[in-house]
Amino acid sequence: MQDLRFNPIIDEFLNRINHEKIYELPYDNNPLMVATRARNCSTTIKKLTGQSLLKWNVKLEAQRLKINNNYIINLSTEYIWNFYLSDSQRDRFISLANNVNDINRHVSMINNTDTINRIFRLDQQKSNNPFVENFFNGTPFY
């Protein structure tokens, strides 16, 4: 790991952040909420790590401080993970990440192909009944 102790930009950022917010587990340690956010933030479900969850907090602090530099966020996250967090804090982040990964692994195994095919077929249906046509295709207001 790169030695960051002499990087004034990183030092300034680390001095300005709210460390209590950084050390909090996302969504009050609710794995279902974290799993939902992880799924909604990406088109593919990525495996989370404890450090990636910490990075969410670092990003929020960077936004609060109006810092939009991924280099600073990435290096600061790594530095906080390695030098600021206690072993028990790291274990809590890792445990939450593992719980979230278990939830998302089960969610990704759900096969909804049949439901999607049925929805697609609804759109393909044609009818001579104006009520059915308006129901499926919307009502024209002109």
Side-chain angles (χ1 to χ4, degrees):
M1 180 182 142
Q2 178 182 351
D3 189 2
L4 305 175
R5 289 175 292 198
F6 302 110
N7 187 324
I9 296 170
I10 302 297
D11 285 342
E12 180 183 345
F13 178 66
L14 293 174
N15 288 333
R16 293 178 59 202
I17 62 174
N18 181 341
H19 288 270
E20 289 179 18
K21 289 284 187 190
I22 296 290
Y23 304 151
E24 288 178 359
L25 294 171
Y27 295 96
D28 294 325
N29 198 21
N30 183 331
L32 290 173
M33 295 292 292
V34 177
T36 301
R37 176 176 176 207
R39 286 191 309 273
N40 291 339
C41 288
S42 178
T43 55
T44 60
I45 300 174
K46 296 178 183 170
K47 185 175 180 183
L48 293 176
T49 65
Q51 192 169 348
S52 64
L53 292 179
L54 175 69
K55 186 175 180 179
W56 289 5
N57 293 348
V58 174
K59 279 184 175 180
L60 288 174
E61 273 300 288
Q63 288 173 354
R64 183 183 68 81
L65 296 170
K66 299 191 179 2
I67 295 171
N68 192 20
N69 185 322
N70 282 330
Y71 180 74
I72 292 172
I73 292 167
N74 292 337
L75 289 179
S76 297
T77 301
E78 188 175 338
Y79 194 78
I80 291 166
W81 183 261
N82 289 319
F83 298 111
Y84 279 61
L85 292 182
S86 68
D87 289 340
S88 66
Q89 288 171 313
R90 275 192 292 276
D91 288 344
R92 290 175 52 221
F93 276 95
I94 291 168
S95 176
L96 177 59
N98 289 339
N99 290 338
V100 169
N101 290 331
D102 288 343
I103 291 168
N104 282 341
R105 183 174 33 248
H106 292 304
V107 168
S108 67
M109 291 177 6
I110 296 172
N111 185 352
N112 61 354
T113 305
D114 182 57
T115 304
I116 292 170
N117 286 336
R118 288 172 188 247
I119 292 169
F120 180 74
R121 281 186 288 185
L122 279 176
D123 188 44
Q124 303 298 317
Q125 291 181 357
K126 298 291 181 200
S127 171
N128 292 330
N129 183 330
F131 173 75
V132 172
E133 279 298 308
N134 289 338
F135 180 79
F136 284 112
N137 299 320
T139 303
F141 291 101
Y142 47 83

